[in-house]
Amino acid sequence: MMKIKSIALLSLTGLIFSTSHAAIVVKDAKGNVEHLQSVLLGLQAKATLLGFAKNEYDLGMAYYEGKLVPRDPQKASEWLLKAAKKNYAPAMFTLGKMLKVGDGVEKNTALGHQLIQSSANNGYEPALALLKTTQKSAPTQVNQVQSAKVYNGMCSYQDFYIQSAGALEYAAQQGKTVENFEEYVKGPCKINVIYKPNRVVEIDAKLYANNQSYDAYILTKLNDSCDDGECGIAIDSNKAHLNEYDRIVQFDAQHNEIESDDYAEKSLKEKIQQNRSYCFQSIWAHSGTIYCLNVGGSTVYQHDRAIEH
């Protein structure tokens, strides 16, 4: 009788059911399908019907722990993600741990740590304890961090947009004109390079030109892959909002390009050398952004002016 009442209640909320000899299938208004299992019926009904973060977390943990049903980390991550998006600290903590090791999800160490840190920021005790333990158990990593050193150097910044042929033609048909755009500045700058644990390289460059700051924060890797999405650049914006760059191009003191084994190199093969230009660039069909820096140098590579070509 209770089971019939539960199904009737769910039906009234817009959920669609189909039955088979093995299980009950429920589909919500968004088309998400959940195969109801008798041992999880209460958890599944609450998570699907109510949609509260606590209910979604409880169901996710049932799949994660594997006590009531066979362990299913992929299914667990789906429900934990729903709860984590609602800023539910326990869900962020467990999903963060799964991301760090690739348990049921694609491995993403940076995002996993971010979620655990967010959980700790919300006061979740297990997250606080894990971070505290990690910090205590890794004193060698702390010793690997070099003291920050600020160098004098030269920096350049270029941002351009070239109108497409279609845009020019359309403007002409409308009796209007459109112009290409390019902003290019260069000048003396302060460059701070820090080599951190796990091959992470952090660069802070402070350029002031044309009565305006063009500061750059760059996160890259030393002889390691950037495929985990951790690398990026932020120009005059919050360090947390990194934009992906396409590649790093190096030039010697005479501004000759130093060939790389990989044309699309996104990480450093060796520590940054003085009197060499390092250009972090993102170039698309009609636009691009390029930030170059030269540690200790009196000049810096200047990319060909895009609009002249």
Side-chain angles (χ1 to χ4, degrees):
M1 184 65 179
M2 180 61 69
K3 183 176 181 180
I4 295 175
K5 286 184 178 180
S6 298
I7 295 176
L9 178 60
L10 291 171
S11 299
L12 290 174
T13 64
L15 301 176
I16 303 172
F17 286 82
S18 63
T19 59
S20 68
H21 294 294
I24 302 173
V25 178
V26 59
K27 182 186 293 184
D28 64 18
K30 295 182 179 180
N32 299 314
V33 175
E34 183 72 16
H35 295 269
L36 299 184
Q37 304 178 59
S38 58
V39 292
L40 293 180
L41 186 58
L43 293 175
Q44 290 175 312
K46 289 179 180 179
T48 307
L49 173 61
L50 301 177
F52 292 132
K54 175 65 166 61
N55 304 131
E56 293 167 340
Y57 167 74
D58 289 342
L59 179 55
M61 289 304 293
Y63 286 120
Y64 177 76
E65 295 173 340
K67 295 178 180 179
L68 298 177
V69 292
R71 189 171 188 272
D72 188 342
Q74 182 176 352
K75 195 71 175 175
S77 67
E78 294 174 4
W79 284 104
L80 290 172
L81 177 60
K82 292 176 186 288
K85 285 182 176 180
K86 296 171 182 172
N87 206 35
Y88 192 62
M92 289 190 288
F93 174 67
T94 303
L95 184 58
K97 292 195 300 180
M98 296 174 73
L99 282 163
K100 293 188 72 171
V101 297
D103 183 15
V105 292
E106 184 176 348
K107 184 177 179 180
N108 190 326
T109 305
L111 181 56
H113 179 75
Q114 183 180 338
L115 282 172
I116 293 173
Q117 184 66 62
S118 296
S119 179
N121 292 343
N122 284 339
Y124 188 55
E125 289 295 336
L128 291 167
L130 177 62
L131 291 178
K132 187 176 181 180
T133 302
T134 303
Q135 292 169 358
K136 285 184 176 180
S137 63
T140 55
Q141 287 191 343
V142 175
N143 294 332
Q144 292 174 9
V145 179
Q146 296 185 0
S147 59
K149 184 174 181 180
V150 179
Y151 299 89
N152 292 317
M154 291 286 290
C155 296
S156 66
Y157 168 75
Q158 182 185 22
D159 188 31
F160 64 87
Y161 180 82
I162 305 172
Q163 299 290 342
S164 66
L168 294 172
E169 182 180 353
Y170 179 77
Q173 293 174 353
Q174 301 295 315
K176 300 178 181 178
T177 58
V178 291
E179 297 181 355
N180 295 322
F181 162 82
E182 181 179 33
E183 182 179 16
Y184 181 86
V185 296
K186 72 173 181 178
C189 61
K190 299 288 186 181
I191 305 170
N192 183 13
V193 182
I194 306 176
Y195 298 97
K196 306 183 74 172
N198 302 321
R199 302 182 184 274
V200 173
V201 183
E202 198 174 66
I203 303 171
D204 262 310
K206 297 189 178 299
L207 168 64
Y208 189 81
N210 296 347
N211 297 317
Q212 185 176 340
S213 65
Y214 296 87
D215 298 344
Y217 173 77
I218 302 167
L219 204 59
T220 186
K221 294 286 191 71
L222 178 61
N223 200 24
D224 197 2
S225 171
C226 283
D227 293 341
D228 58 7
E230 189 171 340
C231 301
I233 181 170
I235 300 175
D236 274 341
S237 60
N238 193 307
K239 293 181 179 181
H241 301 145
L242 295 177
N243 293 314
E244 186 178 2
Y245 57 82
D246 298 330
R247 59 190 290 244
I248 304 172
V249 188
Q250 299 182 40
F251 300 89
D252 62 22
Q254 288 71 44
H255 295 175
N256 298 313
E257 182 174 349
I258 300 173
E259 295 293 334
S260 171
D261 295 335
D262 182 358
Y263 180 77
E265 192 65 64
K266 298 179 70 172
S267 60
L268 297 166
K269 287 296 184 183
E270 56 187 2
K271 291 183 177 180
I272 289 180
Q273 301 181 32
Q274 296 195 28
N275 296 311
R276 178 179 292 188
S277 294
Y278 294 82
C279 295
F280 298 80
Q281 66 178 42
S282 300
I283 297 180
W284 301 275
H286 300 286
S287 62
T289 299
I290 304 169
Y291 200 100
C292 301
L293 54 90
N294 186 340
V295 172
S298 58
T299 184
V300 66
Y301 175 77
Q302 177 175 353
H303 192 272
D304 291 339
R305 294 181 65 85
I307 295 175
E308 294 178 356
H309 295 277

